[in-house]
Amino acid sequence: MTPVRLGAVSFLNAAPLVHGLAGDPAFALTADLPSKVADQLHAGTIDVGMIPAIEYARGDYAIVPGIAIGSRGPVRSVNLFLRGKLEHVRRVALDTSSRTSVALARILLRERLGRDPEYVDRPPSLEAMLADADAALVIGDPALYARTDAECLDLGEGWQALTGLPFVFAFWAGRMGVLTAAHVARLQDALRAGLADLPRIAVSYNGHGADRRELNESYLRSNIAYALGPEELAGLAEFYRRAHRQGIIPRIPELRFHGGS
């Protein structure tokens, strides 16, 4: 049987999702930045990807049930770093690795500021971004491991304060029919295996070693929520409603799931 081409995200928060898939012949696994994974899925060079949630509204996909990368408050790895006061922000540099977080930043800033600042796309170099803008949106490992004295707005915390709901940043998605029930169960089992082995992931991830073990494990246990249950789906639906209202996406997508779940 031809393996399913699976595109994972190359950040720490995605490591538990694929930790249990090592050597599994059912999947051909690659990893890249979230924006690149979305492009690969849209182009058909992968079958299923851990895509930014906003990209689900830009294609004809179904979601793997029960699995997500989300937060129920502070997420620590999706931050709007500030050069000064939030109310003085006029120009925002946006991490080109991101798409869902870009949409979330736009939603939260319009709510906080009552206006839209100027947005510019930039590679995720915090120092360079803040030299060019009043605020910088940085996601993933560069945000989590940033060494800076800059104040920041945690977007997961900002969303919960605004809506009272969890936020869903990404999930597995692909065209309907590319996954069997066995594939879905295997992805769910892989996450369970990863969550049971967080200490090892925290130590070994990307060669960072024991000097970041406590940070890595605390982040994976306390900041990232991997469930995609009723509250997360309510948060996802609210995100799509707000994104559509601001013209960020052309439609509010119907949530469809592999296996009909």
Side-chain angles (χ1 to χ4, degrees):
M1 181 181 293
T2 302
V4 172
R5 297 170 299 172
L6 193 67
V9 170
S10 54
F11 289 149
L12 172 60
N13 56 27
L17 299 168
V18 297
H19 183 68
L21 292 179
D24 191 321
F27 298 100
L29 184 65
T30 59
D32 212 323
L33 297 173
S35 57
K36 298 294 186 182
V37 173
D39 289 343
Q40 291 161 13
L41 185 63
H42 295 328
T45 58
I46 59 174
D47 301 309
V48 175
M50 177 54 58
I51 62 169
I54 199 73
E55 293 299 306
Y56 178 78
R58 297 172 176 149
D60 183 20
Y61 305 124
I63 301 166
V64 172
I67 305 172
I69 296 175
S71 69
R72 288 176 163 263
V75 67
R76 293 173 68 185
S77 59
V78 182
N79 294 326
L80 186 72
F81 293 95
L82 304 170
R83 195 169 63 183
K85 298 290 187 182
L86 179 63
E87 58 266 28
H88 297 155
V89 169
R90 299 287 173 181
R91 181 178 169 93
V92 179
L94 300 172
D95 187 339
T96 52
S97 306
S98 169
R99 291 185 182 163
T100 292
S101 301
V102 165
L104 179 56
R106 290 175 180 265
I107 290 168
L108 292 179
L109 284 175
R110 182 179 290 185
E111 185 74 23
R112 293 286 188 97
L113 301 176
R115 56 179 170 82
D116 291 322
E118 176 190 2
Y119 293 105
V120 293
D121 293 332
R122 293 290 184 268
S125 171
L126 181 58
E127 184 177 356
M129 294 166 88
L130 287 179
D132 185 45
D134 305 308
L137 173 67
V138 183
I139 73 161
D141 296 352
L144 179 65
Y145 301 131
R147 295 184 177 181
T148 178
D149 294 327
E151 296 290 329
C152 72
L153 172 65
D154 183 303
L155 267 60
E157 186 175 22
W159 174 260
Q160 187 186 55
L162 176 64
T163 67
L165 293 167
F167 191 79
V168 175
F169 289 96
F171 44 70
W172 292 121
R175 288 177 177 80
M176 190 69 81
V178 300
L179 295 177
T180 65
H183 286 129
V184 171
R186 185 69 189 91
L187 291 172
Q188 294 168 339
D189 288 343
L191 173 58
R192 282 190 284 270
L195 293 178
D197 209 11
L198 290 183
R200 189 187 315 191
I201 293 172
V203 169
S204 64
Y205 171 71
N206 203 28
H208 291 309
D211 62 325
R212 284 182 170 160
R213 178 189 62 79
E214 290 186 9
L215 168 61
N216 289 349
E217 188 168 352
S218 170
Y219 168 69
L220 293 174
R221 288 192 186 279
S222 303
N223 298 104
I224 301 301
Y226 290 100
L228 188 60
E231 291 187 9
E232 287 77 19
L233 292 174
L236 185 61
E238 180 63 17
F239 172 58
Y240 289 141
R241 283 192 290 271
R242 289 176 181 265
H244 181 258
R245 193 161 65 217
Q246 288 197 20
I248 297 170
I249 53 175
R251 62 188 176 90
I252 299 174
E254 176 190 358
L255 298 182
R256 302 188 304 158
F257 297 89
H258 290 284
S261 300

